Amino acid sequence: MPYDPNKDEILKQWHCEETGLAVSIQRYDGGEAKVQIGPRLLRRKDGGQRAPAKAGRLTIEDLLWLYEIIDEVKDELSRLSGPQ
């Protein structure tokens, strides 16, 4: 069965303004909720948004931001995953 982008669902998303890194909780076709790190959503000098780019390697700024939000991400993923 081929991938269908219409079945991809973003349940919650965080975005670091400083580095452009995005972290989200997503689900595909009603399946298990999972954490996605990336893409980078960067802005052009004129203020418009560039095309999304791969997250690639994380900088210390990325890592510190992820550290700040990780408990919120974990709590939200736990809530969305339901009882195990």
Side-chain angles (χ1 to χ4, degrees):
M1 183 160 104
Y3 170 74
D4 180 357
N6 294 319
K7 293 181 180 181
D8 236 348
E9 180 183 7
I10 297 175
L11 305 173
K12 176 91 180 194
Q13 187 169 33
W14 296 263
H15 182 252
C16 179
E17 294 296 326
E18 183 178 329
T19 67
L21 185 65
V23 171
S24 60
I25 298 175
Q26 300 187 25
R27 178 179 308 169
Y28 182 76
D29 196 20
E32 179 184 1
K34 297 179 182 178
V35 174
Q36 168 82 35
I37 298 176
R40 288 191 189 277
L41 306 170
L42 301 172
R43 299 224 173 259
R44 293 190 305 252
K45 290 182 182 181
D46 66 7
Q49 190 154 332
R50 291 181 10 191
K54 286 185 176 182
R57 296 175 182 167
L58 302 183
T59 64
I60 187 67
E61 290 83 7
D62 291 324
L63 195 58
L64 291 172
W65 174 75
L66 192 56
Y67 183 77
E68 286 177 19
I69 67 164
I70 198 68
D71 285 333
E72 184 181 351
V73 174
K74 178 190 64 136
D75 292 345
E76 188 69 16
L77 183 61
S78 295
R79 184 184 72 73
L80 291 166
S81 295
Q84 297 295 328

